Every structure is written in C-alpha cells, then in structure tokens.
Amino acid sequence: KKMGWKGILGFDYGVVQAPLGPDISGPELAAAVANAGAIGLLRLPDWPAPDHVRELIRRTRSLTEKPFGAAIVLAFPHEENLRVVLEEKLAVLQVYWGEFPKERVDEAHRAGVKVLHQVGNLEEAAKAKEAGVDGIIVQGREAGGHVIGQEGLLPLLPRVVDLVSDSTVSVIAAGGIVDGRGYAAALALGAHGVCLGTRFVATEESFAHPLYKKKLIEMNCTDYTTVFGRARWPGAPQRVLKTPFYVEWKNLPDHETEENQPIIGHSIIHGVVCI
C-alpha cells in the first residue's frame, strides 16, 4: 500500500537512499530504489569524470523510468561532474561536505534539479535554508562512514525542524535509522522523511563486497574513529565495524595517516585503480 502522504519532493515515499561512497550506489541500486518510489542517489566520483558520470546516468535510465538523483562531495573536485548532472536534468542533486550557496542552488533550479544539502549542525542548516535548498538532510553522529557532524541526531533534528518551520524546506533525518521504528521516531520529531545508508549497503543491488554485506548483517558493534582517511578526510570521524583489522589498528597515533603507512592493497573505484 502506498503512503503518498509521507512522500517528499514529489516522490511516493519519504525515504532517501544515501550515496554510499565511493561507488557502492551505482545504477542498479539507484534504479531499484527509484522503481520502489523512493529517492535513489548515484554516488559520483571524487575526481573530474564527466563522461563516466554521463554513462552512469544513462545506465540508470536504462533500468528505470522513475526520477532519481546523484550525490557530490563538495570538498573534492566536482565542477565538471556537477555540470553533467545539470545538463542531464536529474530530479535531485545531493551535496555535502562544503558550501553550496544560493547562486549554485538557483543554477540547479533553473535546470529543473531539486537540491538536498546534508548538514551536521544547526549553523550549516541555516546556511542551507538561506541558499534556498529544497531539502536538508540532518545527519547525526550515529551514521556510518565519514560523519559530517559531531551531534546526536535526536537532539539536533527538532532544532533544524524549528529553524525551517517558516519555509517549505523538507527535513530528512539520517543516522542510525534502519527500520520502521526509526522512521516513526524521526517523524515524531518533525522530520518529513529519512535517509538510510548502511541498510542499503547490504542489499543485493549495492556494489559492496559480498563478504562485507555478510559482516554487516552478522556484527552488531560499531566504533567511532579517525583511523581511516585522516589525510584525505581531515576532521571527519568514521563509524566502522569492530573488525579484527580495526581492533589491531584503532590505537594508531594521531600523527600516523594513510600517507605514511605501507600500502597493503588497491581498489578499483569507478574504473580507476586507487590506493
């Protein structure tokens, strides 16, 4: 049964699939979410790759006739990828980790693209509201991956709801929400929808490694750390599974980063070999 009254931004449901960097949310996942009536987001590369971005969008369109979006990390080079998103007139652009002022939001709106800005504190939310975004994703420190804010979701969410109460901005809750109970709690605090990340990592359509999906389901302990990505993601703690590798490395001295540690392997991300 469709609950249209819970939809946001013209979609059937108030559910947003988080971008799941660096490439876990590809065309298959974004299309599956879109086909279900929620907001599916492609995670775009953290480097200029306009041709690849256009191919990702077209592959997604071959899998769904429903609207979908793409996500960009503003802290990394993104102008060329952003241009493709606007040229292709996607339904939604999600941005985070940086400023996205009113002139950029207006540019997206002229292309018919709605803007979601993910924030981690009240000050960032106020800037996003001033910029005229269509929705604000409020991320609490309960979230997985590199967490944009240090505040818990439940104290922060109602403050953002109050901040935008005189506007049409949709407020979307993110961080530790995995089921209907979390959705209901977010709605009770005034949110219009929820954004789920880890829950979508474990789906068949995500590009995550099968063993990682299995561990996500089996394990129930996480930790909040700066061990991973200190040089690339400064000041960005990460919520991680308590794996044997993490337990061994969690006390790595602060001055040690991925730039001065031995390389133990490589990954292929968006077709590019990365350390």
Side-chain angles (χ1 to χ4, degrees):
K1 180 180 178 183
K2 285 193 174 184
M3 309 282 256
W5 60 276
K6 287 185 179 176
I8 52 175
L9 302 176
F11 291 77
D12 293 335
Y13 298 104
V15 175
V16 179
Q17 163 247 309
L20 311 177
D23 67 340
I24 291 173
S25 56
E28 290 76 11
L29 180 57
V33 173
N35 285 331
I39 301 178
L41 296 174
L42 293 168
R43 171 66 153 87
L44 300 190
D46 292 334
W47 53 85
D51 293 340
H52 182 62
V53 169
R54 205 177 302 274
E55 176 60 23
L56 288 174
I57 292 170
R58 291 179 178 174
R59 277 173 50 202
T60 308
R61 283 185 171 143
S62 74
L63 299 171
T64 183
E65 295 181 355
K66 297 286 191 72
F68 60 91
I72 286 174
V73 181
L74 297 170
F76 301 130
H78 60 272
E79 291 295 340
E80 293 184 42
N81 299 338
L82 173 60
R83 175 176 50 81
V84 175
V85 170
L86 302 186
E87 288 174 357
E88 293 287 338
K89 300 185 182 300
L90 294 190
V92 176
L93 166 68
Q94 193 246 35
V95 295
Y96 56 130
W97 284 106
E99 299 282 336
F100 205 70
K102 189 174 190 308
E103 55 266 26
R104 304 313 303 266
V105 175
D106 290 345
E107 180 184 11
H109 286 167
R110 286 194 295 271
V113 179
K114 294 177 180 177
V115 179
L116 292 176
H117 198 141
Q118 183 165 294
V119 305
N121 58 53
L122 194 64
E123 292 74 20
E124 291 175 350
K127 290 180 180 179
K129 177 191 177 186
E130 184 68 24
V133 301
D134 301 278
I136 296 175
I137 299 176
V138 182
Q139 186 189 58
R141 62 174 283 158
E142 300 87 347
H146 293 287
V147 183
I148 198 168
Q150 308 301 310
E151 298 185 48
L153 176 62
L154 297 189
L156 178 59
L157 179 57
R159 295 164 67 204
V160 177
V161 169
D162 290 345
L163 173 74
V164 303
S165 60
D166 60 348
S167 71
T168 60
V169 176
S170 295
V171 178
I172 299 155
I177 298 170
V178 298
D179 56 18
R181 292 173 295 179
Y183 194 166
L187 294 177
L189 290 173
H192 304 98
V194 292
C195 179
L196 287 74
T198 307
R199 183 62 187 81
F200 281 110
V201 174
T203 60
E204 291 183 10
E205 294 86 356
S206 94
F207 284 166
H209 192 282
L211 181 59
Y212 183 62
K213 295 180 186 182
K214 183 171 181 287
K215 293 299 181 183
L216 275 179
I217 295 168
E218 291 176 353
M219 301 181 73
N220 56 19
C221 289
T222 65
D223 205 356
Y224 197 56
T225 180
T226 62
V227 165
F228 303 106
R230 285 175 177 167
R232 181 171 165 80
W233 293 87
Q238 186 178 38
R239 185 164 299 283
V240 301
L241 295 175
K242 286 188 177 180
T243 63
F245 178 88
Y246 169 68
V247 171
E248 180 181 345
W249 285 81
K250 67 178 183 178
N251 294 319
L252 189 71
D254 290 344
H255 68 276
E256 299 284 0
T257 75
E258 65 273 24
E259 291 186 342
N260 53 34
Q261 293 297 306
I263 296 172
I264 62 172
H266 295 79
S267 296
I268 297 176
I269 302 172
H270 288 297
V272 177
V273 177
C274 301
I275 293 175

